[in-house]
Structure formats: structure tokens, C-alpha cells
Amino acid sequence: MCDNNDNENIVSKENEISKKSHSQVTYKKFSKQNYYVTETEISKEYYKSIENGKPTDKLINIFMKIATRFAGVYKYVNDCDRRSCINYAVAECWQKWNTFNPEITSNLFSFYTTLISNDLRIAWNNLNRYKSTSISLDALMSSEKKS
């Protein structure tokens, strides 16, 4: 329930806003959404990598950005497991970077995202395969008693 004081405060703030002229009121400007990786950025680095015969450092960084963003889908016991899954996915993507076939699809972002998501799932399943039947040594050796 609201107090009368709360209602009075709301009314007084509304009155203050209505007293301002239109030019004094500031509006939040909505800009074009900033993506963490753009299609043109991936394409540019992919074709540079094709020319060099190996993936560029920037392409590897793009893989890392995609993997880091996509890693939030899974729940991890600790940050070390999360980083391990990300590194596994990036390493696998680094090995498979030139398997892209433009005859099948023209979307590099979706291709690499699918590669990374599949590899993240594989790494996460490998880490958590026996979690339900195993006990952590850290939990056994901890001096704190849980009540």
C-alpha cells in the first residue's frame, strides 16, 4: 500500500516535469544496436586468412568473443571450467576455420557460432559427465562444516 506522502511525491514530480518546456526535457536517443561481432568484420578477416593460408589473430579474437558470449548458456561449477570450455571451443574452431563452404551458406557468423556452440557443448558434457556420481576433493577437504 502506498502512503499519502508517496502519492504527493509522485504528483509533485509530475508537476515539475510538466512545468518544463519541451526543449528542456531530454529524451533518450536510441542508436543503432552495437553488436560485439559484425558480419563484415568476420568476412574481412576470413578472406584475409584465406589469402594467408592460416587464421589471422583478429579472427581468433572473433572466435573468442563469440565463445565468451555463447558460454553463458551453460552453468559452470567454477570459472576455471568456463574458461576451459571456451578455450576448447576456440581451439577446435581454429582447427576447423577453413571448412566453411560458401555454396551451402553465405553467413559466416552463423557458421562459426554453430561450430563454437557444438564444441562448447562437447566440452561442457565432458566436464560434467560424471559430476552427479563424483564428489569434489575440495568439498571433502574443506575445513568449513555445512549445517
Side-chain angles (χ1 to χ4, degrees):
M1 296 181 84
C2 295
D3 294 340
N4 286 336
N5 291 336
D6 291 338
N7 289 336
E8 290 172 8
N9 288 337
I10 293 170
V11 170
S12 66
K13 287 181 182 179
E14 288 176 355
N15 289 337
E16 288 176 19
I17 292 172
S18 65
K19 288 178 184 176
K20 288 184 178 181
S21 69
H22 182 70
S23 62
Q24 292 175 328
V25 178
T26 57
Y27 295 99
K28 186 176 181 180
K29 291 184 180 180
F30 293 102
S31 62
K32 189 175 178 182
Q33 187 174 2
N34 293 328
Y35 297 106
Y36 59 99
V37 176
T38 61
E39 180 68 32
T40 55
E41 185 180 18
I42 293 173
S43 298
K44 185 173 127 183
E45 291 304 316
Y46 174 75
Y47 290 115
K48 277 185 189 176
S49 299
I50 290 291
E51 289 175 6
N52 294 337
K54 64 178 185 174
T56 62
D57 291 338
K58 193 167 182 178
L59 187 64
I60 302 297
N61 287 337
I62 290 170
F63 296 160
M64 184 66 88
K65 285 180 185 179
I66 294 171
T68 303
R69 281 290 185 104
F70 203 84
V73 172
Y74 301 102
K75 292 184 180 180
Y76 303 97
V77 175
N78 54 33
D79 193 51
C80 183
D81 287 349
R82 184 186 64 81
R83 287 181 296 172
S84 175
C85 288
I86 291 171
N87 288 334
Y88 176 81
V90 171
E92 289 295 315
C93 200
W94 176 71
Q95 291 176 358
K96 302 173 192 173
W97 73 272
N98 59 354
T99 59
F100 176 72
N101 187 357
E103 294 173 0
I104 296 173
T105 182
S106 62
N107 193 345
L108 278 164
F109 179 78
S110 68
F111 174 76
Y112 285 126
T113 302
T114 304
L115 261 180
I116 289 169
S117 68
N118 290 340
D119 291 329
L120 275 171
R121 185 175 16 89
I122 290 168
W124 189 85
N125 285 336
N126 286 339
L127 282 174
N128 294 301
R129 182 179 303 158
Y130 303 109
K131 290 274 180 166
S132 62
T133 59
S134 63
I135 299 173
S136 171
L137 289 176
D138 292 336
L140 284 175
M141 300 301 196
S142 71
S143 61
E144 297 177 15
K145 292 184 179 179
K146 295 182 179 179
S147 50

